[in-house]
Amino acid sequence: MRIIIDAMGGDNAPQAPVEAGCKASNELDVDIVFVGKEEILVKELNKYSYNKERVSIVNAEDVITNHEEPAKAVRSKKNSSIVVAANMLKNNEGDALLSMGNTGALLASGLLIVGRIKGVLRPALATLLPSAKGPKMLIDAGANTNCKSENLVQFAIMGSIYMKNVMGIASPTVGLMSNGEEEGKGDELTKETFPHLKNAPINFIGNIEGRDVMEGTADVVTCDGFVGNVILKTVEGMGSVVGNMVKDMFTKNISSKIGALFVMKSINAFKQSMDYREYGGAPLLGTKKPIIKGHGSSDAKAVYSAIKQAKKFVETNIIDEIIKNVSNMEEKSND
């Protein structure tokens, strides 16, 4: 299995992608292909021990920054690391693609270069969020801001398939984000989507509210990308604030520092449960090949988790199952 990594994307590139990729070459049964400026990557590789038979570099002289217009940059910067990596994936020169770079550019590359699965109206960005009951999926997390009910239904189906295959949940519960639990609550999109989700081949549990996300009420939370991105950024901000508050509370004075010694194990367990680095990246569901979007601030630990996630994405044949479910939906619609 070959994992293609955009080694120039992200706040900590190329250090974090290269360090994680080298570790993966030693510990996982994968080949790693770094895409980026060869001279820079060779220097970075020299800092680490890695399996030389399983690591290679493909040169790409350009980088798409976070300040560029994504679709325009993808079309004009043919030799950028994201574009070169996407073309490699399209041409079967790798089994999965991972990037911590410009989110819009990766989405555009997935849509314009790799292509979407036939029948999938819009690929969706899915992300795993911490909750009281373990990691739960939010889909869409920002790829599609103006959606129709059929988009949300497909998001729910794809998210359910992912949670079943990758996270090992036999029958993932699916909730529709709304401003109330009752069936009649929500905006026009939510009201229109509800009955379609009831008839979809998923374990639909109805509307859920904002507080249900962190309580872990549903394994998959489906919504449009505008709402999803607001939820995502709110959870990230809350995690940062809570972490800083806990740190301040236990470092305020000598007494609190002594008290921290007795609860440090529990504090570390809480920090780990809230750490996005444990979950990897956000899969782009609905494209013809596996694509993972890593967090822009990913360190080597987060990138390594994303590599393991990409490996499991490939091994569990999620894309084949999405194709099968979309085809079944089209047949029922035609009937």
Side-chain angles (χ1 to χ4, degrees):
M1 182 188 302
R2 301 184 83 201
I3 307 297
I4 304 166
I5 300 179
D6 166 20
M8 308 308 294
D11 300 338
N12 298 311
Q15 176 270 324
V18 171
E19 181 180 347
C22 288
K23 182 181 179 182
S25 76
N26 293 324
E27 299 180 1
L28 306 177
D29 186 21
V30 294
D31 293 334
I32 301 295
V33 183
F34 294 115
V35 182
K37 296 181 180 181
E38 185 171 11
E39 183 179 352
I40 294 175
L41 294 180
V42 168
K43 289 181 180 179
E44 193 66 32
L45 276 170
N46 289 334
K47 300 177 182 178
Y48 305 100
S49 172
Y50 62 94
N51 187 335
K52 292 180 173 57
E53 294 182 356
R54 309 210 74 164
V55 174
S56 59
I57 295 173
V58 171
N59 187 51
E61 289 296 325
D62 291 332
V63 177
I64 296 178
T65 69
N66 288 328
H67 304 292
E68 297 181 74
E69 197 283 313
K72 181 179 179 181
V74 167
R75 290 189 176 96
S76 62
K77 286 191 168 183
K78 302 296 185 182
N79 199 33
S80 63
S81 54
I82 287 181
V83 173
V84 171
N87 276 297
M88 289 179 62
L89 186 65
K90 176 186 177 181
N91 295 327
N92 297 317
E93 297 174 49
D95 299 292
L97 166 61
L98 168 63
S99 175
M100 280 58 65
N102 184 310
T103 301
L106 184 64
L107 296 176
S109 297
L111 188 61
L112 300 174
I113 299 173
V114 179
R116 58 186 170 85
I117 294 169
K118 182 180 178 182
V120 171
L121 301 173
R122 296 184 182 182
L125 196 61
T127 189
L128 295 177
L129 296 178
S131 81
K133 299 177 182 178
K136 306 299 179 182
M137 174 171 281
L138 176 68
I139 182 169
D140 178 33
N144 306 282
T145 54
N146 295 303
C147 294
K148 297 180 180 179
S149 60
E150 51 261 52
N151 300 135
L152 268 61
V153 172
Q154 288 191 346
F155 297 166
I157 292 172
M158 293 190 295
S160 184
I161 290 171
Y162 186 92
M163 293 299 280
K164 181 182 74 172
N165 287 273
V166 174
M167 303 305 292
I169 302 173
S171 181
T173 55
V174 178
L176 175 63
M177 179 53 60
S178 185
N179 64 339
E181 296 179 356
E182 299 82 4
E183 183 171 346
K185 286 294 184 70
D187 58 13
E188 290 304 313
L189 176 60
T190 306
K191 293 175 184 177
E192 184 181 348
T193 302
F194 193 101
H196 295 299
L197 287 175
K198 287 175 67 175
N199 296 320
I202 55 174
N203 184 11
F204 181 54
I205 60 172
N207 287 339
I208 63 171
E209 300 178 83
R211 62 171 175 263
D212 294 315
V213 176
M214 298 305 295
E215 290 178 0
T217 302
D219 296 311
V220 178
V221 178
T222 186
C223 56
D224 66 57
F226 178 84
V227 173
N229 198 254
V230 171
I231 293 172
L232 174 62
K233 296 298 169 53
T234 300
V235 171
E236 288 179 345
M238 184 192 71
S240 177
V241 170
V242 171
N244 289 332
M245 289 176 65
V246 171
K247 181 180 179 180
D248 292 342
M249 181 172 62
F250 285 109
T251 58
K252 187 163 43 178
N253 51 49
I254 294 297
S255 297
S256 61
K257 289 178 181 179
I258 294 173
L261 296 175
F262 295 96
V263 294
M264 189 57 66
K265 186 176 181 179
S266 296
I267 291 174
N268 288 333
F270 169 74
K271 286 173 63 179
Q272 185 173 1
S273 70
M274 295 293 290
D275 190 354
Y276 74 88
R277 298 178 302 171
E278 298 289 336
Y279 306 132
L284 181 60
L285 300 180
T287 54
K288 293 178 180 178
K289 300 286 184 67
I291 297 175
I292 301 286
K293 172 63 179 75
H295 200 288
S297 61
S298 293
D299 59 10
K301 178 180 179 180
V303 179
Y304 183 75
S305 295
I307 293 172
K308 291 195 295 183
Q309 180 186 22
K311 182 175 184 289
K312 197 163 187 179
F313 196 153
V314 176
E315 292 173 338
T316 50
N317 297 317
I318 294 170
I319 291 176
D320 289 342
E321 191 165 344
I322 291 175
I323 291 172
K324 179 181 176 181
N325 275 268
V326 171
S327 297
N328 290 339
M329 287 182 66
E330 287 184 331
E331 288 176 5
K332 290 181 180 180
S333 177
N334 292 333
D335 292 342

